[in-house]
Structure formats: structure tokens, C-alpha cells
Amino acid sequence: MDLSIIIPIYNEEGNIHKLIERLRGVVAQMNVSCEYIFVNDGSRDRSISLIKALAQTDSSVRYIDFSRNFGHQIAVTAGLDKSIGDAVVIIDADLQDPPELIIEMYRKLKEGNEVVYAKRKARKGESWLKLFTARMFYRILKSITSVNIPVDTGDFRIMDRKIVDVLKAMPEQNKFLRGQISWIGFRQTYVEYERDERHAGETGYTYKKMIRFALDGITGFSNFPLKFASICGFIVSGVAFVVMLYALYTRFISKDYIEGWTSTIISVLFLGGIQLISIGIIGEYISRLSANSRQRPLYIINETNIDE
Ligand code: UDP
Ligand code: MG
């Protein structure tokens, strides 16, 4: 198998036919053997029956039907787990990622890269709030992590089997695939494209899902927030020390003081500082523990036509 194309599906009934039509056109031009892996992430519309109908007439259509909505990153992970292609493409179902770009991405992969990701030059048809928050997120993440995660890049990409095998061996529960792939290394390059508008339906990424996803990215790839707590603690303690000297001065030398103020202010400030340092240190441990302690399965499959 030359190519696996992974398509996460959450309420995409209006896009599935158009998508497979365009993908088939692309694959025909490329002259490769290909499997399509649709991962139905708990859609509440007719998506899964459309996919099953496709699978009946086309043996290259595989599907995984989840027991409920597990989220986009987990859906892609399930596709990666079941894929067998030498190269693997991740693409959104809503045609925001133009399938035709796969031809160029595949060519660059064969030129000796292990990952070719698609970088957005422009995004059409999205609210200014989404554009602004996405822009800020990628830049903040870049400034606080030592992993070189490319800005303005989603999961639309092609990667070599080598990368997929490493990804499958990474046990983290809170997936942030674009960060994990950057972390893995090898030779990575990109192609630029203009992100189209969603063909039909509406976004499955609510603001709640986006915030959780952003926090997965930050906590998975940076300890800066924890360090920030510790740094605050040290600054507060430093200030407390200066105030303490002043309080002692007013108490014993200038004698210009209010009864009881000295001890109160010293203890309040000192304790505040020590507490922040302690919370920061505990946080360092908890963040490492919690990520690895809950050994739940990542997803539950209701039905699939892929055999083990
Ligand atoms: N998706 C998914 N599970 C979800 C949300 C989205 O599998 O909980 C899929 C969705 O069907 C699409 C891709 O992930 O193929 C990207 O989602 P969407 O287009 O809604 O996100 P946006 O482009 O608005 O960020
Ligand atoms: Mg979309």
C-alpha cells in the first residue's frame, strides 16, 4: 500500500461525497495504491451510513466508527493506528484542505523528506475571533516551547511510515499531533496554501474544544506556566523581604509605627510568597504525574471493516 488517507468525520454528511470524488481524482493522477480511512467520531447525522455505503462498492474505503465523540486528535490517532500505507495523509473532511495539494506534498516527500506539512497563507470564511485567537496561540506556544512547532499549520500533512510508527509508540493521552510530529524530528518541510471555506455544514470545533486543545498543546510542550508560578513566588518573597526590613526599621529605629502592623504584614507577605513557590513546585510534579497516570484506552470502537 503506497498511501493511506485519514479523514476524521464529525457531522460531515454534506461533504463526504464531494471529498471522496476529489480525492479519487487526485489519487488517479498520482498512480499509487491507496486506502481511505474514515474515522467517524460520534457524528449525529447520516455520515456513517454514507461511509458504509461507499465501503460496499469500494474496497479501498475503510471505516472506524467510534462509540461516541472523542475529539479530532483522537480520531486521527485511531486512523494512524489502523493505517498500513508507506505514506500517510491527514486531511479534514470539510474541503478546507484542498485534496489537490496532496500531489505536491507527495512529490516533496519522495524527494527525501519524512514530513511535508501544509502551511496556511490565508484562511477564508472564518470569523476574526478564530483567526485572531489561532494566530496568538501559535505565536505564544512558539515563544514558550523549545520544540520548533511551525506557526499557522494544522494537521493537514503527509508523513512517512517512520513518523507514524514513532507516533503510535507515543503514549500520551492528551494528543497534540502537530507538536508531537515536530518533536519527532527527521526531515520536515512544507508547502503553502490558501485555506478554503468549509464546503458544507458547520465547524465541529467549539470554543470549548479549542481551549482544551490549546491547553493540551501548551502543557504538553512547555513547563513555562509552572515556572511562572515559581518565579512569581520568588519575586513576591523578594518584595516581602524588603518590606520586612522597612517594617523593622519603623518599629525599632524611627519608632513611627502602628501597633501590630509589623508582624502582620511580614507574615502575610512571607507566607504568600512561600505558598506560591510551593504551589509551583507541587505543580511541577503533578503535571508530570497526571499526564501518565490515567491509563485509559484512547478511544472505543463500535464497528470497523478493518481487520487486525
Ligand atoms: N472533527 C472530529 N471530531 C470533532 C471535531 C471535528 O473528527 O470533535 C473533524 C471534522 O469532521 C473535520 C476536522 O475534524 O474533518 C476539522 O474540524 P472542523 O472543520 O470542524 O474544524 P475547523 O476547521 O473549524 O477548525
Ligand atoms: Mg474545518
Side-chain angles (χ1 to χ4, degrees):
M1 185 72 65
D2 296 320
L3 192 65
S4 300
I5 300 181
I6 297 173
I7 312 146
I9 300 284
Y10 180 61
N11 300 338
E12 302 284 9
E13 61 182 5
N15 297 317
I16 289 169
H17 278 128
K18 182 100 189 161
L19 176 74
I20 190 96
E21 203 176 284
R22 277 174 68 179
L23 283 172
R24 278 176 177 148
V26 166
V27 170
Q29 279 184 57
M30 288 166 66
N31 198 14
V32 290
S33 56
C34 170
E35 60 168 358
Y36 305 93
I37 304 181
F38 288 90
V39 186
N40 180 42
D41 185 16
S43 299
R44 283 184 297 257
D45 64 359
R46 292 181 306 124
S47 295
I48 187 64
S49 41
L50 294 180
I51 296 164
K52 281 186 182 169
L54 283 177
Q56 287 204 324
T57 54
D58 181 346
S59 64
S60 63
V61 173
R62 320 265 147 95
Y63 63 83
I64 301 167
D65 182 31
F66 279 178
S67 64
R68 62 170 171 83
N69 180 242
F70 280 88
H72 168 245
Q73 297 285 297
I74 302 296
V76 173
T77 302
L80 292 172
D81 287 345
K82 304 285 184 205
S83 69
I84 55 169
D86 295 333
V88 178
V89 169
I90 304 171
I91 188 169
D92 283 358
D94 58 3
L95 293 160
Q96 283 196 290
D97 304 332
E100 294 69 28
L101 204 64
I102 295 174
I103 299 172
E104 195 189 339
M105 288 158 79
Y106 189 72
R107 187 176 52 74
K108 284 209 165 178
L109 190 82
K110 291 292 158 193
E111 279 171 5
N113 293 290
E114 271 81 22
V115 178
V116 184
Y117 55 86
K119 196 175 156 102
R120 302 159 182 161
K121 259 195 312 199
R123 312 170 58 145
K124 279 184 243 163
E126 282 172 312
S127 72
W128 68 267
L129 190 60
K130 178 140 187 169
L131 296 182
F132 177 75
T133 48
R135 219 187 132 75
M136 289 299 293
F137 167 67
Y138 286 116
R139 279 153 188 81
I140 290 173
L141 184 63
K142 194 178 176 67
S143 68
I144 61 174
T145 176
S146 55
V147 181
N148 191 8
I149 303 171
V151 298
D152 303 329
T153 302
D155 288 319
F156 184 29
R157 60 188 62 211
I158 189 168
M159 51 198 164
D160 190 85
R161 170 69 20 202
K162 271 192 251 177
I163 301 278
V164 177
D165 288 342
V166 181
L167 271 180
K168 282 164 69 176
M170 287 171 85
E172 51 234 79
Q173 298 265 329
N174 299 321
K175 301 284 181 196
F176 187 67
L177 292 167
R178 55 197 78 166
Q180 290 172 249
I181 293 167
S182 300
W183 179 88
I184 292 171
F186 292 103
R187 285 156 297 182
Q188 309 207 0
T189 187
Y190 64 93
V191 293
E192 282 188 317
Y193 77 114
E194 288 190 15
R195 191 161 166 84
D196 290 330
E197 273 177 59
R198 175 172 258 282
H199 172 68
E202 51 194 55
T203 175
Y205 259 99
T206 55
Y207 277 101
K208 191 174 154 202
K209 280 183 185 169
M210 269 166 54
I211 290 169
R212 193 190 304 152
F213 180 59
L215 288 176
D216 283 342
I218 290 171
T219 55
F221 289 90
S222 172
N223 283 326
F224 178 78
L226 291 169
K227 299 220 172 76
F228 183 73
S230 309
I231 292 166
C232 283
F234 282 109
I235 292 172
V236 171
S237 302
V239 173
F241 184 73
V242 174
V243 175
M244 181 181 76
L245 291 181
Y246 171 73
L248 289 173
Y249 168 81
T250 54
R251 172 68 181 77
F252 293 111
I253 298 173
S254 74
K255 309 255 186 213
D256 171 23
Y257 69 97
I258 306 161
E259 199 87 41
W261 182 76
T262 315
S263 54
T264 310
I265 204 75
I266 289 176
S267 47
V268 167
L269 289 176
F270 237 123
L271 277 175
I274 302 284
Q275 278 166 352
L276 279 175
I277 294 174
S278 313
I279 292 170
I281 293 169
I282 293 170
E284 294 267 357
Y285 287 92
I286 292 183
S287 74
R288 286 168 175 77
L289 279 173
S290 69
N292 295 301
S293 61
R294 279 167 281 138
Q295 301 226 343
R296 290 183 198 151
L298 279 176
Y299 49 85
I300 297 162
I301 295 177
N302 169 36
E303 198 189 338
T304 174
N305 65 350
I306 308 173
D307 9 276
E308 282 309 318

